[in-house]
Amino acid sequence: MQADVSVIIAVYNTMPYLTECLDSVVSQTIGPDRMQVVAVDDGSTDGGDKELQRFAELYPGLFTVLTQEHSGGQAQPSNRALSMATGRYVFFLGAGDHLGPEALERLVSAADTYDSDVVLGRTIGVNGRNVSRAVYESTRPEITLDDSPLAWALSNNKLFRRELVERHGLRFPEHMPLWSDQPFTLEACVRARRISVLADYDYYYAVRRDDASDVGSRTPHLTRLRCTAEVMKSAASLIERGTGRDTVLRRHFTWELSKLLDQDFLTLEPERQDDVCAGVGALAEAYLTPGIVAKLDRTRRVKLLLAQVGLADELRELIRRERDGVGSAVVVTGDGVYEALPGFGTLPNHHFALPGSAAGLLRIDDVVRDEDGILTGRLPLVGASSVRVAFLPVRKGRSQDEDITGCYKLAEGHVPPFAEPVAAEQHDDHLAIKVHVPYASLTKSRADRAKIFVPRLYVRVANVTYQLPLPQLPGPSTSVVRWRGGKAFRITLGDDSQGNLKIYVSRMSRLKAVRRALRRMRRRKHS
């Protein structure tokens, strides 16, 4: 009797996770009579081959176990197992992952009900494993690459109709040590009459192993680049130019290629950096269409375009800024607002455009205070129409931190509180600002109780007003004493729990104030 499903497992050094994987297979509610398990040990050195033999002995007739020398990837053992599969469907199971008990029964039933060639079951990341879950938002009897996030789920942990696989001669490319399942899965999806997705059950548990968090990240950059080029070439050969191809290729630009330009790029030798830059640039030249560019976030887009035109130094600088948390200036011109990432002024301006809010980029850096109560700092902004400051009292009954937020865009028509102009000197990449702490007005209190003030900077950028908190001053809190109407006040420049500047004003006894002044006079005299 023909099995309903052949479970294919390529095994290489996945103990002790392999045990849970195999336990989940033999516990399937579909039952051993409807299953075939073909497992190929690819030269494991951790006892995985012995564990496979143990299960084969415990469940005679269910397991077919093959062993071979290590091939360097999952392609060869998967192909070898596939050649021995006899089930109506095949299912590929990672040797470190496991299944929900009803997974295979539900998948086969859905494939038969919907007459599907490919069926996806909801996949869950375990132990921090990153899994794209967008495609599993709802059960759908039919999806395509165009109308779903299927392009972001091209791993082979799916149910495939074996007749489809054999009719088109689908196999894993054995020259690819990484991601050889993607060309297989993509072609199966392109050739399939129907693809279904099931979101009603946790079918597949993708496990992040403690000893191997991300095989891709541990593989040399040039190997990853070569394999990504193969995946993209395969996609381009299967899908005609247009939005469908763009949908698939955008995933590779966003994920595999962008990961090559992450912080670990800077750990490479300069020659290797240039090689990676050139390789990524060649793929961008071949496949990066305007439609894909328009859907990439700004930083990814600029990285890829810098590689495409060979600006390796600017690319290095952008990755370095990203690593070090160094922001770029906001530039306001007559035709728009832009983030001045490396390459701005060389690449077309529209790639750097800020079509929405600039709130996430506006900040005040390097704030210091002098003895006269003047705060100076840098605002990475070129072309602001106005900068003002207000010292707002924290209202009674509110927590001390409630008023402190990051920079945000004020609603249209919202009028900020009364604010004083700020001295601002424009430089090439920033505004140098000076803010006077209004000691006299801060001591205008009708009661003797302490008061708290929060300084706010209001910046007008392209007809939009933004509110920014001032960051805390470096070092410990500083305080000064000011007199008003014979009363002494201590004014302390401190900070809140979020690292923003806050000003605390409290009454001080005359005796303490005089003693403090005398101590300071003596220190100045001896210094």
Side-chain angles (χ1 to χ4, degrees), residues 145-146 151 186 235 239-250:
L145 285 163
D146 291 331
L186 180 61
I239 308 172
E240 294 183 358
R241 291 179 184 273
T243 57
R245 182 194 286 188
D246 282 358
T247 297
V248 175
L249 293 179
R250 181 165 67 93

Side-chain angles (χ1 to χ4, degrees), residues 54 132 197 270 319 339 406 426 431 510:
R54 184 173 76 86
S132 177
V197 60
I319 298 172
E339 182 181 8
Q426 184 70 71
L431 277 176
R510 294 184 181 183

Side-chain angles (χ1 to χ4, degrees), residues 204-245:
Y204 194 98
Y205 295 86
V207 180
R208 177 185 181 271
R209 306 199 306 270
D210 292 334
D211 62 337
S213 59
D214 185 350
V215 174
S217 67
R218 294 184 286 108
T219 303
H221 279 66
L222 291 181
T223 301
R224 289 153 58 192
L225 176 63
R226 176 173 65 83
C227 291
T228 303
E230 290 288 339
V231 171
M232 298 178 78
K233 179 181 177 181
S234 174
S237 69
L238 287 167
I239 308 172
E240 294 183 358
R241 291 179 184 273
T243 57
R245 182 194 286 188

Side-chain angles (χ1 to χ4, degrees), residues 31-206:
D33 294 340
R34 298 175 61 190
M35 278 195 301
Q36 174 198 28
V37 181
V38 185
V40 178
D41 180 71
D42 193 42
S44 294
T45 59
D46 64 349
D49 56 338
K50 295 182 177 61
E51 187 70 344
L52 289 174
Q53 291 298 337
R54 184 173 76 86
F55 270 82
E57 292 170 4
L58 287 172
Y59 301 93
L62 177 59
F63 282 84
T64 299
V65 176
L66 306 173
T67 60
Q68 62 182 41
E69 293 184 1
H70 185 48
S71 65
Q74 67 166 312
Q76 190 183 108
S78 296
N79 285 340
R80 189 177 177 192
L82 190 55
S83 68
M84 301 192 67
T86 60
R88 293 190 298 123
Y89 300 98
V90 293
F91 186 90
F92 295 91
L93 173 59
D97 304 332
H98 55 272
L99 299 172
E102 302 174 20
L104 296 179
E105 185 176 18
R106 286 170 172 261
L107 288 166
V108 169
S109 175
D112 288 341
T113 300
Y114 300 139
D115 194 25
S116 304
D117 286 336
V118 181
V119 183
L120 294 72
R122 185 168 66 200
T123 299
I124 303 298
V126 178
N127 198 26
R129 176 81 171 267
N130 185 21
V131 173
S132 177
R133 301 185 63 178
V135 74
Y136 305 111
E137 285 186 356
S138 62
T139 293
R140 295 174 60 187
E142 186 167 7
I143 62 171
T144 69
L145 285 163
D146 291 331
D147 68 5
S148 75
L150 177 58
W152 296 87
L154 292 179
S155 59
N156 64 342
N157 57 333
K158 300 167 177 60
L159 189 79
F160 299 90
R161 188 179 297 274
R162 192 168 67 86
E163 187 274 331
L164 170 80
V165 172
E166 296 305 331
R167 174 158 38 95
H168 294 286
L170 303 185
R171 291 296 185 268
F172 294 72
E174 296 185 6
H175 62 286
M176 292 176 60
L178 284 178
W179 306 318
S180 60
D181 57 335
Q182 291 193 29
F184 176 95
T185 303
L186 180 61
E187 185 167 2
C189 291
V190 170
R191 307 291 188 198
R193 291 172 297 114
R194 176 171 292 167
I195 306 167
S196 302
V197 60
L198 307 179
D200 59 337
Y201 181 75
D202 292 343
Y203 290 82
Y204 194 98
Y205 295 86

